[in-house]
Amino acid sequence: NAGVTQTPKFQVLKTGQSMTLQCAQDMNHNSMYWYRQDPGMGLRLIYYSASEGTTDKGEVPNGYNVSRLNKREFSLRLESAAPSQTSVYFCASTEGGKLFFGSGTQLSVL
Amino acid sequence: QKEVEQNSGPLSVPEGAIASLNCTYSDRGSQSFFWYRQYSGKSPELIMSIYSNGDKEDGRFTAQLNKASQYVSLLIRDSQPSDSATYLCAALITDKLIFGTGTRLQVFP
């Protein structure tokens, strides 16, 4: 089993560009999350989806949109990237609080 | 105020000592708590979960929960250099898993 697959692993954007981070899980989990991690800030929740067809804002949703395409896939979109969105992004899926993380996306916005 | 708070450290302990990591949370309704370990450049991995007041032991790790005081702790006995990592505390608040900022642990030989 692949677990949680997250793409791309690295990305460099210019300010104002858009991109979508893809995430897919094969564990049949209902809940999926997107976090960002900045030095000294821990993991901050951007958006989450408790089940297929539902999405909710987390701690830092501004500048992001999400789509829960089906039970397996949960994508994160940056419509107009800003330097403040330079970070490492993690997708995760869970049942009951045990998170399974993807390998992360290192995003730089210049 | 963050919903889950941790001292960022670093916490330095000698090999073989007990490392004590602490976490407080603000939502009294939280019922489930987790400790994750993250090595530099890697994804976090779950090491302990705790749901009831008291202690829960798993090998060299003991998680402690005190709901009245709203704190969670993690004890690592016989600390090893391989335990050097960032330890993240997390609380399940409604259906959101919220993390603290993490405590960096350094175990020196």
Side-chain angles (χ1 to χ4, degrees), chain A residues 39-74:
Chain A
M41 302 293 288
L43 287 161
R44 292 186 291 170
L45 182 62
I46 305 171
Y47 270 93
Y48 68 104
S49 171
S51 62
E52 184 179 355
T54 68
T55 61
D56 285 286
K57 295 178 181 179
E59 300 169 278
V60 289
N62 291 343
Y64 305 95
N65 286 301
V66 290
S67 296
R68 184 74 184 267
L69 304 169
N70 47 55
K71 193 169 186 179
R72 290 187 64 247
E73 298 172 288
F74 188 37

Side-chain angles (χ1 to χ4, degrees), chain A residues 17-42:
Chain A
Q17 287 185 316
S18 62
M19 78 160 296
T20 300
L21 280 66
Q22 306 287 353
C23 178
Q25 53 96 4
D26 61 5
M27 294 171 284
N28 204 36
H29 288 161
N30 284 317
S31 299
M32 297 186 73
Y33 295 75
W34 276 105
Y35 290 93
R36 60 177 289 174
Q37 188 170 37
D38 304 292
M41 302 293 288

